Amino acid sequence: PEDKYYQLAYALALVNMSLADGCFEFDFRDSTVSYRATTSYLESIISKGALEYILDISCAIVDKYNDKLFMFLNDKLTISELMDAICD
């Protein structure tokens, strides 16, 4: 819902502060939330293990926060409860 855009953006910023290899992004134009896996590969050859790590961490991060954000957007959690859940 549009009335929660800024609160959602704030919540995602809090989540992002705890992430080492990626970040959530929120697009105000179409209200999509996405997760971008990032890490440094400067002058590197990406190994199978590194690719598996990125896929594993992406799934784990989305799984960890998806339900909390969904509950907030559907009025099952207040912004304070969401902040508590994110900061745990």
Side-chain angles (χ1 to χ4, degrees), residues 39-47 50:
T39 194
S40 176
Y41 297 109
L42 184 63
E43 298 180 22
S44 300
I45 296 174
I46 301 172
S47 69

Side-chain angles (χ1 to χ4, degrees), residues 18-56:
S18 69
L19 302 178
D21 293 319
C23 63
F24 281 97
E25 297 177 340
F26 178 62
D27 189 332
F28 283 84
R29 296 171 297 182
D30 60 6
S31 68
T32 57
V33 174
S34 56
Y35 178 77
R36 179 185 305 241
T38 57
T39 194
S40 176
Y41 297 109
L42 184 63
E43 298 180 22
S44 300
I45 296 174
I46 301 172
S47 69
K48 180 181 176 186
L51 183 57
E52 287 175 352
Y53 171 78
I54 291 294
L55 291 173
D56 288 346

Side-chain angles (χ1 to χ4, degrees), residues 8 11 15 60-78 81-88:
L8 178 59
V15 170
I61 294 297
V62 169
D63 189 49
K64 181 176 181 176
Y65 294 106
N66 183 61
D67 291 345
K68 294 172 179 109
L69 294 168
F70 182 80
M71 289 173 63
F72 168 69
L73 291 173
N74 287 285
D75 295 321
K76 305 291 184 201
L77 285 179
T78 66
E81 292 168 330
L82 177 62
M83 295 302 115
D84 290 342
I86 287 171
C87 295
D88 283 345

